[in-house]
Amino acid sequence: MEVVFTSKAPAAVGPYSQAIKAGNVVYCSGQIPLVPETGEIVEGDIKAQAKQSLENVKAVLTEAGATFSNVVKTTVFIVDMADFGAINEVYAEYFGDHKPARSCVAVKELPKGARVEVEVLVVL
């Protein structure tokens, strides 16, 4: 088992790792739209938050030796289901024709006031 860490994604805001690599599987913790350099939520609308969350996922994937094409399952947590369509637009830009299994769950709130969080499961 190996801890995956990159300074190009936000440091964990609790007692967990950005990702854990176990054999050829990478378990990525959820990424909220924190700007790695400031530790603050990105400014802008839900699309800006979705993009930052996915940029953070991308940084962790890169550190683990993976890309979005290696993702087999995603879970998207959102505070408001009215944002579903806008988040899907941004999500599609990152995944393109690759369509991993996915769950989308509405939650009451997310850490630091984020409106979206994305976690992924990867097979290398």
Side-chain angles (χ1 to χ4, degrees):
M1 202 165 62
E2 173 187 343
V3 173
V4 176
F5 172 79
T6 177
S7 61
K8 295 178 181 174
V13 295
Y16 60 89
S17 299
Q18 290 172 330
I20 296 290
K21 187 188 272 188
N24 69 334
V25 179
V26 181
Y27 300 87
C28 297
S29 294
Q31 290 293 322
I32 59 175
L34 293 178
V35 176
E37 296 80 15
T38 66
E40 300 296 324
I41 297 287
V42 70
E43 291 187 22
D45 63 7
I46 190 62
K47 285 186 175 183
Q49 286 203 18
K51 180 177 180 180
Q52 186 64 56
S53 292
L54 287 161
E55 283 295 317
N56 294 341
V57 168
K58 182 179 177 181
V60 175
L61 291 176
T62 299
E63 186 66 25
T67 68
F68 282 102
S69 65
N70 296 105
V71 174
V72 296
K73 171 74 168 73
T74 67
T75 305
V76 179
F77 302 93
I78 60 177
V79 173
D80 187 348
M81 271 298 174
D83 292 333
F84 184 78
I87 292 168
N88 267 343
E89 288 178 33
V90 176
Y91 182 96
E93 292 173 16
Y94 283 82
F95 284 94
D97 291 334
H98 179 61
K99 295 181 175 38
R102 182 178 86 174
S103 300
C104 182
V105 181
V107 296
K108 182 178 177 185
E109 59 186 323
L110 290 166
K112 296 193 168 257
R115 294 174 57 200
V116 62
E117 180 174 359
V118 181
E119 72 176 30
V120 298
L121 177 62
V122 175
V123 176
L124 300 172

